[in-house]
């Protein structure tokens, strides 16, 4: 059971959190102007890299706030956490 | 009965107290401090169990959790299967019997309580042996919060089974002193009888504390039997010790064949001489200590047979002084005896070959030592790497894990002095305690298996057991490699070696060694099988703790629950809620009760407890804008005082939930959700607010259990409401459909919504939770002249289905759009965008053969279709694969229709209205008519009463 550092609450048990998939996928400016394929890219397609991955987490059983984290998918280590709206920090896998 | 193998003046057991116990139908005595195994050995009982596959007699191999052989079943006082005799603490009244590999679960429920504890510390030390004790002392003296845990009832670890001294005192005495000092530190907790069974990320360790198992029937009532410690530590020291490896040779499984270190433990800790005529077979120095100690205790040690060509000189001298013959370059190749070993056969051995004539030595105890395996399990759990050490023939912890240090013999330390110093180094510069000098060690020999001479001579091979619990032999391993298996993980599964109760503590590495030899590969490259939690077996009851029965999941009840119970309601679970399903009269079936409740709702007046409906309060200047974005229809134009039905979709355009929205004030809305979906909808809206639209000034609050909600349904509902709310104008003109009013009902403030989930004239009365019962009873009293009837969820389902209203999650499954449900009218054409809108025009969602919600009327009006039944086109069932046209989603008996009916999702269903489709059931294929989903009051004439 990992400790995940919520940017608002500090380190808390993994079980308090809910995973929210890839971060920085903005809702399209004009969905009606997109082709079916472009829209499907937004709705259904996400990256699945080996290594650092920016993703969304919800501190569901804590402050109930969404935040972003960079996690190394190969080691499961969290490399950085940051609040929603902040830019993705530059981190490399440790 | 006296215990003939208990030695006077030795051991740590309490000789002043006798404990009576029964094993395999016979009575024995032992003492507090004994294990079942030590007490049996004191009584001369070596045969304890029976091999699972070949039925061979099996004895006691070890003195701890590594035991691969002595499996017992406890019969009384608490029936428990599959325990190791070496880990069962003796208590008065224990009744046990030996097992033939398989135990038997207790037939009755376990009356004991189990619990969990959460704790945090700076330093967690696992193992209270020499290294663990000095590590804990170092931490405690440094002022750290320390937790020290150990699986034994008393601290000391290997010191308990040894004659060595620490700081000039006997080992157990020094250990007790160290533990006493630790207990004196206010921030130190010492837990005995506690086994760390899993080591996870970021200093998280799970440990099982056995609190009353050792007390038998004397266990205090109300004390939890076991509890799981959930520990979070800043740093962890794993001082888990090492397990001695047995030797593999022909007939190496007979009772009386024991690990050399175990015999020392039985002697020093329990005062038990495991045999009187002893042969020792070893590949390293440590077994000499056993030979010397047992000889000093009065046993005849006939020989030490050492596979190494050169034996340790100092130890050879010690043996010579005691008249013990030491044979260098010789191994035990086989044994004789049935219920117990009577003779060991030895053959000269050099360069991996048997080399000379066989000799026999009479014995009743054969001690074996093949080296030591560090207990690296917990380190592996935390993804620590292991490295093969060719000198030891063992896998040692390798590399570094943040926050975890391995100390003592778990890291490969050999001598007591090394272990004490290694633990002391954990924190600061604690000077290690003093020990006696020990002879310079002679390198050990790695010997995975001793050749079988009868096989070499062309005779019938004898079994050489690798895993005693699984009865798996060297031949089984070779069969696996012969079949082409190259990975130890595959060999493990093929042979089952290491999959039994002991998880291969004594057999795993040996199996790797034999595989490496057979394949001619380096064992370092081959590796060993992965250690996974739990380190020792943990019962499901302990893991569950208190989270069972009523405490397994929270049970939510409404403020009216007591009334429902008192009036005979049958309940159903909806999410965590208990909801009345129907209210049977005396002797009434569910079918009859539901038909009666339905007739009341459509014929006069009925009421239900709708308090579980999810309710979310939405407040802020941008509340209307938020709702416009998440609902398919327009909500911002709703006037205060009005209500609107709404549908929510995911971005994929599939229906997520539905419900009504009322506008409370300019900047405040209250929306309702499906009972089981309240948390999902709140989370969904929060996610969008926080991650996409943080600029919207809106707050969301769950208010589900603030309110008691009572739908009052039926043509007489207006009269009943008028009676309890005399100040409210209930006329259709003043209080039309899809509006709400604040009023006083039965003397308390209420919010009443004119909405209907049944098609009947209906009012939804909402009052503060604590006033709910009063209002509910007032409505019942006012409705009495009309025969007012309480109804449950089943009737609610029938009434809504007669009107073709879908239930999200029952009539939908995440692949259904609003258009599929015939709810296109609730999808805004005006709004430029909302969640799901773009997906409605995806090619897939425009297909004309999508499944659509329709009604079904079976040709046989008494046939109740099973929900989930598939729909096919023809009257006969064709050969598979059968084309499926849809499925039944809801199915009921209708009082209003006087027959059965159903809702279904059918391909191009709306185009097929009027067609006949078929339902294959066990008793044949049944024709059903496809209809409009609205089967009752199509014109909506009943809505306004
Ligand atoms: Zn938080």
């Amino acid at each position: 059971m990992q400790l995940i550092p919520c940017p608002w609450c500090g380190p808390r048990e993994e079980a308090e959190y809910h995973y929210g998939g890839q971060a920085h996928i903005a809702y399209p400016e004009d969905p009606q102007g997109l082709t079916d394929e472009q829209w499907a890219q937004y709705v259904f397609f996400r990256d699945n890299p080996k290594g650092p991955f920016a993703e969304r987490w919800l501190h569901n059983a804590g402050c109930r706030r969404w935040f972003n984290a960079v996690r190394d998918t190969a080691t499961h280590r969290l490399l950085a956490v940051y609040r929603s709206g902040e830019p993705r920090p530059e981190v490399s896998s440790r | 009965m006296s215990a003939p193998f208990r030695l006077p003046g030795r051991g740590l057991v309490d000789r002043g107290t006798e404990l009576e116990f029964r094993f395999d139908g016979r009575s024995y005595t032992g003492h507090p401090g004994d294990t079942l195994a030590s007490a049996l050995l004191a009584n001369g009982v070596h045969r304890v169990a029976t091999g699972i596959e070949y039925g061979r007699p099996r004895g006691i191999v070890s003195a701890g959790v590594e035991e691969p052989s002595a499996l017992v079943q406890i019969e009384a006082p608490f029936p428990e299967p599959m325990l190791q005799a070496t880990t069962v603490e003796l208590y008065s009244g224990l009744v046990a019997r030996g097992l033939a590999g398989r135990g038997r679960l207790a037939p009755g429920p376990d009356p004991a309580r189990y619990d969990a504890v959460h704790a945090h510390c700076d330093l967690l030390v696992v193992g209270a042996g020499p290294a663990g004790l000095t590590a804990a002392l170092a931490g405690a003296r440094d002022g750290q919060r320390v937790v020290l845990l150990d699986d034994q009832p008393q601290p000391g670890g290997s010191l308990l089974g040894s004659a060595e001294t620490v700081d000039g005192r006997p080992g157990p005495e020094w250990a007790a002193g160290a533990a006493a000092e630790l207990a004196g530190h206010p921030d130190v907790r010492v837990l005995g009888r506690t086994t760390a069974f899993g080591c996870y990320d970021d200093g998280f360790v799970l440990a099982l504390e056995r609190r009353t198992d050792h007390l038998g029937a004397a266990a205090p009532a109300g004390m939890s039997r076991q509890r799981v410690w959930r520990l979070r530590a800043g740093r962890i020291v794993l001082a888990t010790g090492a397990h001695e490896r047995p030797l593999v040779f022909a007939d190496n499984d007979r009772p009386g064949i024991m690990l050399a270190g175990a015999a020392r433990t039985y002697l020093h800790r329990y005062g038990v001489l495991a045999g009187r005529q002893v042969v020792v077979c070893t590949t390293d120095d440590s077994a000499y200590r056993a030979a010397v100690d047992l000889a000093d205790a009065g046993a005849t040690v006939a020989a030490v047979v050492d596979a190494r060509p050169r034996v340790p000189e100092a130890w050879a001298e010690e043996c010579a002084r005691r008249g013990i013959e030491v044979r260098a370059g010789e191994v035990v190749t086989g044994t004789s005896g049935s219920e117990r070993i009577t003779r060991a056969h030895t053959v000269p051995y050099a360069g991996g070959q048997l080399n000379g004539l066989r000799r026999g030595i009479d014995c009743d105890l054969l001690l074996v030592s093949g080296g030591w395996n560090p207990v690296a399990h917990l380190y592996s759990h935390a993804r620590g790497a292991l490295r093969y050490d060719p000198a030891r023939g063992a896998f040692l912890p390798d590399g570094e894990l943040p926050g975890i240090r391995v100390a003592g013999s778990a890291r490969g330390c050999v001598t007591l002095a090394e272990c004490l110093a290694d633990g002391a180094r954990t924190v600061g510069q604690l000077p290690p305690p003093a020990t006696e000098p020990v002879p310079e060690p002679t390198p050990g020999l790695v010997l995975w298996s001793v050749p079988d001479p009868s096989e070499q001579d062309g005779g019938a091979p004898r079994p050489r057991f690798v895993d005693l619990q699984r009865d798996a032999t060297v031949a089984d391993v070779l069969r696996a490699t012969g079949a082409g298996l190259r990975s130890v993980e595959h060999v493990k599964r093929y042979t089952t070696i290491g999959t039994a109760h002991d998880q291969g503590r004594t057999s795993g590495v040996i199996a790797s060694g034999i595989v490496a030899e057979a394949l001619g590969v380096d064992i370092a490259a081959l590796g060993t099988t992965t250690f996974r939690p739990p380190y020792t077996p943990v019962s499901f009851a302990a893991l569950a703790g208190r989270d069972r029965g009523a405490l397994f999941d929270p049970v939510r009840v409404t403020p009216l629950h007591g009334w429902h119970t008192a009036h005979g309601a049958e309940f159903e679970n909806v999410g965590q809620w208990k909801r009345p399903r129907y209210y049977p009269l005396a002797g009434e079936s569910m079918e009859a009760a539901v038909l009666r409740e339905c007739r009341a709702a459509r014929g006069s007046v009925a009421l239900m407890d709708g308090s579980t409906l999810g309710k979310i309060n939405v407040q802020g200047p941008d509340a209307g804008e938020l709702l416009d974005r998440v609902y398919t229809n327009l909500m911002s134009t709703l006037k205060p005082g009005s209500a609107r039905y709404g549908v929510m979709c995911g971005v994929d355009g599939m229906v997520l939930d539905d419900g009504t929205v009322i506008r409370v004030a300019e900047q405040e809305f209250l929306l309702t959700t499906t009972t089981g979906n309240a948390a999902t909808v709140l989370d969904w809206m929060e996610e969008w607010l926080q991650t996409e639209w943080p600029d919207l000034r809106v707050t969301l609050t769950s208010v589900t259990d603030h309110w008691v909600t009572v739908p009052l349904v039926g043509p007489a509902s207006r009269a009943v409401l008028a009676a309890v709310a005399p100040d409210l104008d209930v006329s259709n003109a003043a209080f039309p459909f899809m509006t709400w009013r604040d009023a006083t009902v039965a003397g308390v403030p209420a919010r009443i919504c004119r909405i209907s989930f049944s098609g009947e004239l209906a009012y939804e009365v909402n009052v503060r939770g604590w006033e709910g019962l009063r209002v509910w009873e007032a409505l019942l009293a006012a409705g009495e002249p009309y025969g007012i009837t309480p109804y449950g969820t089943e009737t609610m389902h029938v009434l809504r289905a007669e009107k073709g209203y879908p239930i999200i999650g029952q009539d939908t499954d995440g692949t259904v759009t609003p258009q599929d449900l015939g709810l296109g009218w609730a999808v805004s054409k005006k709004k430029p965008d909302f969640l799901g809108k773009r997906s409605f025009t995806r090619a897939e969602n425009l297909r004309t053969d999508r499944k659509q919600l329709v009604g079904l009327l079976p040709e046989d009006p008494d046939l109740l279709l099973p929900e989930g039944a598939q729909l096919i086109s023809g009257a006969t069932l064709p050969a598979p694969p059968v084309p499926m046209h849809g499925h039944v989603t809801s199915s009921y008996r209708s009082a209003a229709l006087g027959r059965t009916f159903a809702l279904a999702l059918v391909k191009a269903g709306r185009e097929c209205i009027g067609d006949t489709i078929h339902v294959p059931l066990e008793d044949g294929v049944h024709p059903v008519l496809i209809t409009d989903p609205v089967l009752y009051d199509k014109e909506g004439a009943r809505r306004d009463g």
Side-chain angles (χ1 to χ4, degrees):
Chain A
M1 176 119 79
Q2 271 188 293
L3 287 179
I4 295 178
C6 170
W8 303 95
C9 307
R12 295 288 188 277
E13 302 278 339
E14 178 184 340
E16 294 182 12
Y17 295 85
H18 179 84
Y19 183 66
Q22 186 172 1
H24 307 299
I25 305 284
Y27 187 77
E29 285 288 327
D30 177 21
Q32 315 313 318
L34 300 182
T35 64
D36 269 13
E37 192 180 333
Q38 288 168 326
W39 177 247
Q41 280 291 334
Y42 165 71
V43 176
F44 300 113
F45 288 78
R46 293 295 181 268
D47 295 338
N48 184 22
K50 180 179 180 180
F53 186 41
E55 54 198 19
R56 307 186 312 158
W57 286 84
L58 169 64
H59 194 189
N60 200 31
C63 62
R64 295 187 59 77
R65 287 201 235 201
W66 284 91
F67 61 92
N68 293 328
V70 180
R71 182 178 62 101
D72 187 322
T73 59
T75 64
H76 210 45
R77 292 283 150 213
L78 284 160
L79 307 178
V81 294
Y82 52 107
R83 297 176 182 184
S84 288
E86 292 177 354
R88 174 182 168 160
E90 281 302 316
V91 288
S92 56
S93 215
R94 282 177 294 193
Chain B
M1 182 178 160
S2 67
F5 291 87
R6 186 86 65 179
L7 299 177
R10 284 182 178 271
L12 309 171
V13 298
D14 171 14
R15 285 162 191 268
T17 308
E18 291 221 327
L19 302 176
E20 296 203 9
F21 70 100
R22 290 177 70 78
F23 184 76
D24 278 349
R26 297 182 61 178
S27 293
Y28 301 98
T29 60
H31 302 291
D34 263 327
T35 61
L36 176 58
S38 69
L40 288 171
L41 290 172
N43 287 283
V45 178
H46 272 256
R47 180 183 177 164
V48 169
T50 304
I52 186 170
E53 190 71 29
Y54 307 116
R56 290 164 64 106
R58 290 286 159 78
I60 295 163
V61 171
S62 76
V65 295
E66 69 272 37
E67 177 60 37
S69 173
L71 280 187
V72 298
Q73 166 107 21
I74 306 291
E75 302 286 10
F78 310 113
E80 199 169 352
M82 298 283 283
L83 296 177
Q84 295 155 307
T86 54
T87 63
V88 175
E89 284 187 57
L90 194 70
Y91 47 83
S92 187
L94 173 72
V95 181
R97 63 181 177 81
L99 286 179
R102 286 191 194 90
R104 179 175 42 78
L105 283 173
D110 183 352
R113 278 171 53 180
Y114 298 83
D115 217 335
V117 195
H118 295 254
H120 293 76
C121 59
D122 301 315
L123 177 67
L124 169 65
V125 181
V126 181
L133 283 170
T134 51
L137 283 171
R141 289 178 191 173
D142 191 52
Q144 301 193 12
R145 287 184 303 161
V146 179
V147 172
L148 169 64
L149 51 86
D150 190 273
D151 68 343
Q152 295 298 307
Q154 64 192 109
S158 61
L159 294 171
L160 302 175
S162 155
E164 291 174 274
T165 64
V166 181
D167 274 348
R169 296 153 73 191
E173 197 183 305
W174 176 83
E181 182 195 324
L182 289 167
H185 286 273
D187 281 337
V188 175
R189 190 195 294 272
V190 180
L191 294 169
R193 298 189 173 95
T194 303
T195 307
F197 63 83
C199 185
Y200 305 85
D201 295 302
D202 298 325
F204 188 64
V205 169
L206 292 177
L208 180 74
E209 181 187 13
R210 294 168 297 278
R211 305 181 76 201
T212 67
D213 295 72
H214 62 290
L215 299 174
M223 187 179 194
S224 59
R225 182 178 180 199
Q226 299 177 346
R227 55 186 184 188
V228 172
W229 284 78
R230 308 168 71 86
L231 296 151
R232 182 73 74 172
R235 283 201 309 150
I236 300 170
V237 171
L238 300 174
T240 43
H243 289 149
E244 198 166 19
R245 260 200 315 273
L247 288 168
V248 175
F249 46 83
D251 296 313
N252 58 333
D253 64 327
R254 298 191 198 284
I257 301 177
M258 184 182 281
L259 293 165
R264 286 179 74 215
T265 297
Y266 286 117
L267 176 65
H268 296 296
R269 179 168 171 183
Y270 303 103
V272 171
L273 197 59
R276 301 201 198 283
Q277 184 76 19
V278 184
V279 171
V280 178
C281 181
T282 186
T283 63
D284 79 339
D285 290 1
S286 68
Y288 283 85
R289 250 185 218 288
V292 166
D293 288 358
L294 264 69
D296 290 348
T300 302
V301 179
V304 174
V305 179
D306 193 327
R308 296 173 291 181
R310 196 169 68 81
V311 300
E313 272 172 35
W315 283 115
E317 280 169 26
E318 292 286 338
C319 287
R321 203 171 302 143
R322 292 164 176 83
I324 303 171
E325 183 192 359
V326 175
R327 300 184 184 175
E330 198 161 320
V331 290
V332 168
T333 56
T335 62
S336 302
S338 56
E339 288 291 293
R340 181 159 174 191
I341 188 170
T342 54
R343 174 173 273 234
H345 311 294
T346 74
V347 176
Y349 175 85
Q353 298 292 320
L354 299 180
N355 185 2
L357 291 178
R358 192 175 94 163
R359 287 194 289 175
I361 315 173
D362 289 342
C363 62
D364 63 3
L365 183 68
L366 171 60
L367 300 184
V368 296
S369 178
W372 294 81
N373 293 330
V375 177
H377 298 65
L378 295 173
Y379 188 72
S380 283
H381 294 176
R383 288 192 286 253
L386 302 180
R387 144 185 83 83
Y388 181 71
D389 178 348
R392 288 185 173 83
F395 287 88
L396 303 185
D398 194 24
E400 301 250 325
L401 282 184
I404 300 185
R405 205 173 96 72
V406 186
S409 55
R411 198 167 69 81
C413 296
V414 175
T415 66
L416 175 57
E418 283 169 14
C419 290
L420 290 165
D422 200 36
R425 271 196 294 273
T426 301
V427 180
Q429 296 295 321
L430 183 76
T435 52
E436 301 156 68
V438 291
E440 194 61 29
T442 304
L445 177 83
V446 178
L447 176 55
W448 300 123
S449 66
V450 175
D452 176 9
S454 36
E455 199 174 358
Q456 282 196 346
D457 299 346
R462 302 292 306 165
R464 291 180 287 160
F465 289 96
V466 177
D467 186 327
L468 268 65
Q469 264 193 62
R470 289 292 188 217
D471 261 357
T473 64
V474 173
D476 293 324
V477 177
L478 298 181
R479 198 169 297 122
T481 54
L485 304 184
R486 292 293 178 271
S487 148
V488 285
E489 296 287 358
H490 292 161
V491 172
K492 170 180 174 172
R493 280 138 187 97
Y494 191 85
T495 60
T496 72
I497 288 173
T499 61
H501 185 285
D502 66 332
Q503 290 287 293
R505 281 187 192 88
T506 54
S507 59
V509 177
I510 292 176
S512 290
I514 296 170
V515 170
E517 277 180 353
L519 298 177
V521 300
D522 184 2
I523 182 174
L526 186 72
T528 186
T529 52
T530 309
F531 299 123
R532 293 190 182 86
Y535 170 63
T536 48
V538 182
S539 70
F540 284 114
L543 291 174
R546 295 190 182 201
D547 302 334
R548 54 196 288 189
L551 297 180
F552 176 67
D553 198 31
V555 173
R556 300 177 76 183
V557 297
T558 75
L560 304 180
H561 189 75
W563 190 95
H564 304 319
T565 309
H567 290 80
E570 293 289 334
F571 291 91
E572 72 167 334
N573 295 326
V574 182
Q576 292 171 330
W577 290 102
K578 292 277 176 208
R579 298 199 69 181
R581 193 172 184 199
Y582 58 101
Y583 297 82
L585 303 176
E588 195 180 34
S589 69
M590 171 167 156
E591 190 181 309
V594 171
L595 290 172
R596 173 178 55 76
E597 291 171 13
C598 287
R599 275 194 296 270
R602 296 235 184 266
S604 179
V605 62
L607 83 178
M608 85 174 299
D609 182 358
S611 309
T612 63
L613 209 64
K615 302 169 203 76
I616 299 170
N617 187 279
V618 183
Q619 288 192 47
D622 298 319
E625 173 65 21
L626 172 68
L627 297 188
D628 278 351
R629 295 186 193 185
V630 297
Y631 279 103
T632 59
N633 44 353
L634 206 55
M635 289 297 177
S636 56
T637 56
L638 195 61
K639 302 266 178 301
S642 287
R644 190 166 288 168
Y645 172 78
V647 178
M648 279 186 198
C649 290
V651 288
D652 58 0
M654 302 304 153
V655 176
L656 189 73
D657 201 52
D658 69 345
T660 52
V661 176
I662 66 169
R663 189 166 207 154
V664 179
E666 193 52 38
Q667 297 192 2
E668 182 180 356
F669 293 80
L670 185 79
L671 56 95
T672 63
T673 74
T674 313
T675 292
N677 232 359
T680 307
V681 171
L682 182 67
D683 286 351
W684 173 246
M685 292 172 67
E686 272 291 345
E687 179 182 338
W688 285 93
L689 257 187
Q690 289 188 31
T691 64
E692 283 293 339
W693 309 318
D695 53 309
L696 293 187
R697 294 157 299 165
V698 188
T699 55
L700 306 174
T701 311
S702 167
V703 294
T704 300
D705 31 25
H706 295 197
W707 300 90
V708 157
T709 301
V710 180
L712 182 69
V713 177
S717 60
R718 181 172 283 138
V720 174
L721 181 64
V724 292
D727 299 336
L728 179 68
D729 183 349
V730 295
S731 70
N732 197 46
F735 191 177
F737 186 59
M738 295 311 270
T739 62
W740 62 271
R741 301 287 180 264
D742 280 342
T744 300
V745 173
V748 304
R751 177 174 297 153
I752 305 161
C753 305
R754 252 206 75 190
I755 56 178
S756 177
F757 197 39
S758 58
E760 297 299 323
L761 173 68
Y763 299 87
E764 186 193 84
V765 181
N766 294 276
V767 295
R768 291 178 296 198
W770 60 90
E771 286 160 347
L773 182 61
R774 172 177 174 178
V775 170
W776 172 267
E777 288 182 329
L779 289 168
L780 283 168
E784 208 179 340
Y786 308 94
I788 193 168
T789 302
Y791 69 94
T793 51
E794 197 63 24
T795 291
M796 172 188 81
H797 282 190
V798 178
L799 297 176
R800 64 88 200 175
E802 289 167 345
K803 290 291 293 177
Y805 299 149
I807 287 192
I808 307 307
Q810 168 154 345
D811 300 298
T812 69
D813 61 2
T815 66
V816 180
T817 65
Q819 295 82 0
D820 296 338
L821 292 175
L823 296 174
W825 59 269
V827 175
S828 167
K829 308 280 186 297
K830 288 186 213 148
K831 289 194 287 182
D833 193 31
F834 53 85
L835 296 182
K837 178 179 169 86
R838 174 62 186 83
S839 286
F840 295 151
T841 54
R842 291 182 64 229
E844 175 63 28
N845 294 338
L846 294 172
R847 285 166 56 141
T848 51
D849 62 345
R850 288 185 62 82
K851 285 186 180 179
Q852 296 166 336
L853 187 74
V854 294
L856 295 181
L857 291 175
E859 213 161 81
D860 171 359
D862 212 33
L863 173 65
L864 185 67
L865 297 173
E867 289 172 356
Q870 295 291 322
L871 303 170
I872 62 171
S873 51
T876 52
L877 190 61
V882 180
M884 306 290 191
H885 291 278
H887 64 276
V888 176
T889 58
S890 297
S891 176
Y892 309 100
R893 270 178 215 286
S894 166
L897 304 175
R899 54 162 301 137
T900 59
F901 74 105
L903 295 176
L905 287 168
V906 176
K907 280 183 189 167
R910 284 197 289 274
E911 276 177 33
C912 302
I913 288 172
D915 293 354
T916 296
I917 199 164
H918 294 83
V919 183
L921 299 176
E922 275 178 25
D923 62 347
V925 177
H926 298 268
V928 299
L929 180 68
I930 300 178
T931 70
D932 187 276
V934 185
L935 287 161
Y936 183 71
D937 184 29
K938 229 173 158 57
E939 318 70 40
R942 309 184 60 83
R943 190 190 76 190
D944 293 330

